[in-house]
């Protein structure tokens, strides 16, 4: 959710940075072998998708659904499955099949949480935007 908040407040570049940095920090806290650069890049792509969808846009349920479907298909199912396949040497198809049900469940969770959080921080963003415009004048 931090990636979606960064995307909504600051745009795609900030969200990409938050995604990649978040994966790296998670690896530092819970190191399980080598850092998987494929997963780190996947998290950056997630930030790009969220940033392109949410930055300077009003949060709506339809936008959250479309963004979550895009992110799940491209990042969770394709990129992360490929990254896991390259590290563990498993079959892409078999790994993808195992990831379908959890990805579907997380899709619903992502839509609900993202929509709720973005709606909740919309007044904060409006206040920040007003103060930024006043500061520039």
């Amino acid at each position: 959710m931090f990636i979606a908040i960064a995307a909504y407040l600051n745009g795609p570049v900030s969200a990409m940075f938050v995604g990649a940095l978040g994966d790296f920090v998670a690896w530092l806290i819970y190191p399980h072998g080598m850092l998987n650069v494929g997963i780190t890049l996947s998290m950056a792509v997630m930030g790009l998708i969220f940033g392109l969808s949410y930055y300077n846009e009003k949060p709506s349920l339809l936008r959250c659904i479309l963004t979550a479907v895009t992110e799940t298909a491209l990042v969770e199912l394709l990129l992360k499955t490929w990254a896991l396949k390259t590290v563990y040497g498993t079959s892409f198809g078999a790994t993808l099949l195992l990831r379908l049900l959890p990805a579907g469940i997380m899709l619903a969770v992502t839509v609900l949480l993202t929509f709720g959080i973005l709606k909740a921080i919309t007044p904060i963003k409006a206040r920040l935007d007003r103060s930024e415009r006043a500061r520039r004048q």
Side-chain angles (χ1 to χ4, degrees), residues 49-62:
I49 292 169
F50 283 176
L52 293 175
S53 180
Y54 297 138
Y55 188 56
N56 287 334
E57 299 290 342
K58 282 189 168 186
S60 70
L61 186 57
L62 179 61

Side-chain angles (χ1 to χ4, degrees), residues 1-106:
M1 292 302 105
F2 290 115
I3 301 171
I5 293 170
Y8 183 61
L9 295 176
N10 299 314
V13 174
S14 174
M16 289 174 70
F17 182 75
V18 168
L21 185 64
D23 181 64
F24 181 71
V25 168
W27 175 77
L28 287 175
I29 295 171
Y30 301 108
H32 298 302
M34 288 181 24
L35 175 68
N36 188 335
V37 178
I39 300 291
T40 305
L41 292 175
S42 297
M43 297 304 287
V45 170
M46 180 190 297
L48 176 66
I49 292 169
F50 283 176
L52 293 175
S53 180
Y54 297 138
Y55 188 56
N56 287 334
E57 299 290 342
K58 282 189 168 186
S60 70
L61 186 57
L62 179 61
R63 180 175 299 280
C64 289
I65 290 170
L66 294 175
T67 303
V69 167
T70 303
E71 180 269 328
T72 299
L74 292 178
V75 175
E76 297 297 330
L77 294 177
L78 293 178
L79 293 176
K80 285 187 179 179
T81 302
W82 173 80
L84 292 171
K85 174 206 167 304
T86 58
V87 170
Y88 297 113
T90 58
S91 162
F92 182 85
T95 306
L96 180 64
L97 283 175
L98 289 173
R99 292 175 54 81
L100 282 174
L101 180 62
I105 293 168
M106 284 307 298

